Amino acid sequence: MSAPDIDTQVLVVGAGPVGLMLAGELALGGADVVVLERRTGPLTESRASTLHARTMELLDQRGLLEELGTPPAGGPGHFGGTRLDLTTDSPYSGQWKVPQVRTEDLLEGWATRLGARVVKGHRLMDLRTAPHTVEATAEAEPGPGGAASALRVRAAYVVGCDGESSTVRELAGFAFPGRAATRELLRADVADVEVPDRRFERHPGGLAISARGPGGVTRVMVHEYGAPVGREPGPPSFARVADTWRRVTGDDIGGGSPLWLNSFGDALRQASQYRLGRILLAGDAAHHQMPVGGQALNLGLQDAANLGWKLAAEVRGTAGPGLLDSYHAERHPAGRRVLDNIAAQALLLLGGSGTEQLRSLFGELLREPRVRAHLAGTIAGVDVRYAAEPGSHRLVGARVPYLRFDTDTDTDTDTGAGTDTAEVPGSSFAALRAGRGVLVDLSGRPTPVRSAAAPWRDGRVDVVTATPEPGCTALEFTTALLRPDGHVAWADGTVPELEAALRRWFGPAARR
């Protein structure tokens, strides 16, 4: 058999935000990664544009917010069309508006600077698995002579980040149970039209949403109660959108100029497994849901953050037993929870007159502070807590809280290794920039935990000794082990418990 055109450790299929985020995480973790994308250029339309608090935290943890700049706030949040204050304990409370093309540009630049290769204009056609590799065959767009050319890529692992109609999922045979859409929302970006802004405006015949955006383009979304889900291939026609809009609102937008058309329904599906041997799924390839409030995009980016460092450790040979399987164990329940949340929102949002009493009751409940905080944390993604051993510190499994460090920190001399970094990071988020594990010691004195971490200080775990910024009154730990994705692996426990956490998440101790 002839040699493949490309040999790599990980092949990521799909260069949307999830695939590019995963590529960056893999490259940061030391893996050789290639991204295969069917498109030849950037998006020409605005798709998902809402980033929530947890995603902003992840971008901060990788040092990408400075390049992104301060995006405009996305206004008030909602749950199923009922206004919801998204204030949480995150420094990035609320929601932020970033066009998907900008998110992709940011993540592609970061991933390629780290060494990832992005190959565009190729459509995946076949996957063949062997005991230690997966071989992918992709077809390029026909050249000037009219003949399509094939590209063969051999990788140790393949990850499908290729959306709800995932070719990877289909070729690999993943089960994808759930239900098809029974309701849909039509969406269009329209120029040359004057439409008043509408925020979840309910009419006797349906739901209407409209907002004027940059450049005078108006986005309209409309659902007609009881209307069948469209079965035509591709996006809906503008005539269908305009007719539905007129029937629901009484207004005529038919004279406008459509720039982009699509529709999305309330289908709900989730892969039974996120991993089958050497093939894995992330983002919409792993779960298909209505993109209510931007949750689909943010859920997928958090999949990538969880998987990237684990898969990189696997291909580098430093992963302990079961590390890669923990991706499914952690992200499948997290995905299921969000899907259930979205299903409830779809019922509230698209249900007809029979759900008015439910919406009224729900509006009353949202005025209760604990209910509001619970739902805000779920939508923002900041309440995700992975399973922990019984009796663990209450932070274990949760994301690390944001904490500013005093910049005047001590040198770590417990192990004779000196300081771990030339410049001590200024916060618990900045400590994660290198994509490694981090043992944070805020005690201000030599402690046994620093010595215990020494066998993992070979590029897998950094040790940061610091003191909280003056005035900090909400210190939630003295010492904590952070995973590369910003979740707490151990906090304020015994040295044997720390060593067990280090072995579980970062592999066997180095021999000395």
Side-chain angles (χ1 to χ4, degrees):
M1 182 180 290
S2 60
D5 299 278
I6 297 176
D7 224 327
T8 188
Q9 289 178 314
V10 182
L11 172 65
V12 175
V13 180
V18 176
L20 293 170
M21 180 80 176
L22 177 60
E25 292 291 319
L26 287 162
L28 186 65
D32 184 60
V33 56
V34 170
V35 183
L36 194 67
E37 170 55 46
R38 183 174 182 173
R39 286 183 284 135
T40 58
L43 288 169
T44 57
E45 70 274 351
S46 176
R47 296 184 181 176
S49 60
T50 300
L51 300 184
H52 289 141
R54 182 56 185 152
T55 298
M56 294 290 284
E57 291 180 358
L58 292 172
L59 295 178
D60 186 355
Q61 290 167 12
R62 295 302 181 251
L64 293 170
L65 286 188
E66 183 175 345
E67 183 180 347
L68 179 64
T70 303
H78 74 93
F79 189 95
T82 300
R83 188 184 180 109
L84 175 65
D85 176 5
L86 292 177
T87 299
T88 66
D89 65 348
S90 171
Y92 305 108
S93 276
Q95 53 186 355
W96 307 87
K97 301 304 288 185
V98 182
Q100 183 170 327
V101 65
R102 177 70 185 104
T103 303
E104 290 184 4
D105 181 64
L106 173 76
L107 295 175
E108 182 172 351
W110 172 60
T112 54
R113 287 194 301 272
L114 291 169
R117 293 171 284 171
V118 181
V119 179
K120 296 186 177 180
H122 287 77
R123 180 165 56 101
L124 180 68
M125 301 298 293
D126 189 39
L127 287 175
R128 295 183 181 274
T129 59
H132 303 293
T133 59
V134 183
E135 186 170 291
T137 302
E139 187 177 87
E141 294 297 321
S149 60
L151 173 72
R152 290 172 53 236
V153 183
R154 184 171 59 200
Y157 290 89
V158 171
V159 186
C161 300
D162 49 343
E164 60 190 47
S165 300
S166 170
T167 302
V168 172
R169 187 183 67 232
E170 181 179 348
L171 290 173
F174 283 84
F176 200 47
R179 58 174 172 79
T182 58
R183 306 179 182 93
E184 71 176 338
L185 201 63
L186 306 179
R187 179 166 55 176
D189 286 348
V190 187
D192 307 319
V193 67
E194 293 294 331
V195 177
D197 282 359
R198 292 175 166 91
R199 180 176 170 81
F200 304 110
E201 188 175 277
R202 308 195 77 86
H203 295 261
L207 175 77
I209 306 164
S210 57
R212 198 169 183 85
V217 175
T218 298
R219 171 161 291 183
V220 299
M221 293 187 278
V222 61
H223 168 69
E224 186 174 13
Y225 299 144
V229 175
R231 301 301 179 190
E232 68 267 31
S237 67
F238 183 54
R240 181 177 170 222
V241 175
D243 288 347
T244 305
W245 184 264
R246 177 180 49 77
R247 287 195 299 271
V248 170
T249 69
D251 292 343
D252 185 6
I253 61 171
S257 304
L259 305 178
W260 178 55
L261 297 153
N262 86 333
S263 65
F264 52 89
D266 61 348
L268 205 68
R269 297 186 182 278
Q270 186 179 27
S272 298
Q273 294 290 326
Y274 283 11
R275 177 189 178 194
L276 288 179
R278 294 185 172 272
I279 303 177
L280 302 100
L281 302 175
D284 286 351
H287 37 76
H288 179 192
Q289 60 285 306
M290 192 174 181
V292 175
Q295 283 181 268
L297 169 64
N298 290 269
L299 179 64
L301 291 171
Q302 291 155 37
D303 288 345
N306 184 286
L307 174 60
W309 66 278
K310 297 174 180 178
L311 185 51
E314 186 73 25
V315 299
R316 287 198 330 265
T318 60
L323 179 65
L324 190 54
D325 285 331
S326 73
Y327 167 62
H328 169 84
E330 292 183 337
R331 292 308 298 169
H332 193 276
R336 184 71 254 169
R337 187 163 180 256
V338 172
L339 264 62
D340 290 345
N341 167 295
I342 289 174
Q345 291 198 61
L347 178 62
L348 290 168
L349 189 64
L350 304 182
S353 59
T355 57
E356 290 300 334
Q357 293 85 356
L358 180 60
R359 278 193 292 273
S360 176
L361 175 61
F362 202 82
E364 292 180 20
L365 290 173
L366 284 182
R367 291 195 286 272
E368 293 292 328
R370 290 181 63 182
V371 175
R372 184 215 62 79
H374 175 82
L375 291 177
T378 300
I379 290 174
V382 299
D383 70 340
V384 173
R385 183 183 297 270
Y386 301 134
E389 293 294 324
S392 298
H393 189 282
R394 64 182 184 82
L395 283 180
V396 174
R399 81 195 211 289
V400 62
Y402 182 78
L403 176 68
R404 292 288 307 174
F405 299 150
D406 192 320
T407 54
D408 182 18
T409 58
D410 297 328
T411 299
D412 182 354
T413 57
D414 281 5
T415 64
T419 54
D420 291 86
T421 55
E423 181 180 353
V424 176
S427 74
S428 53
F429 288 1
L432 295 158
R433 296 279 161 85
R436 295 188 286 267
V438 180
L439 180 66
V440 179
D441 186 348
L442 305 177
S443 65
R445 63 184 186 278
T447 58
V449 299
R450 297 187 216 166
S451 298
W456 287 269
R457 291 176 61 185
D458 55 359
R460 290 177 287 171
V461 175
D462 295 333
V463 175
V464 171
T465 59
T467 54
E469 198 172 64
C472 176
T473 59
L475 187 62
E476 298 187 60
F477 63 85
T478 302
T479 52
L481 177 65
L482 311 184
R483 303 178 351 175
D485 57 1
H487 282 258
V488 178
W490 168 91
D492 291 343
T494 66
V495 167
E497 289 169 345
L498 170 61
E499 292 172 335
L502 285 161
R503 286 191 296 271
R504 178 183 179 188
W505 297 112
F506 302 103
R511 294 181 179 179
R512 299 224 169 181

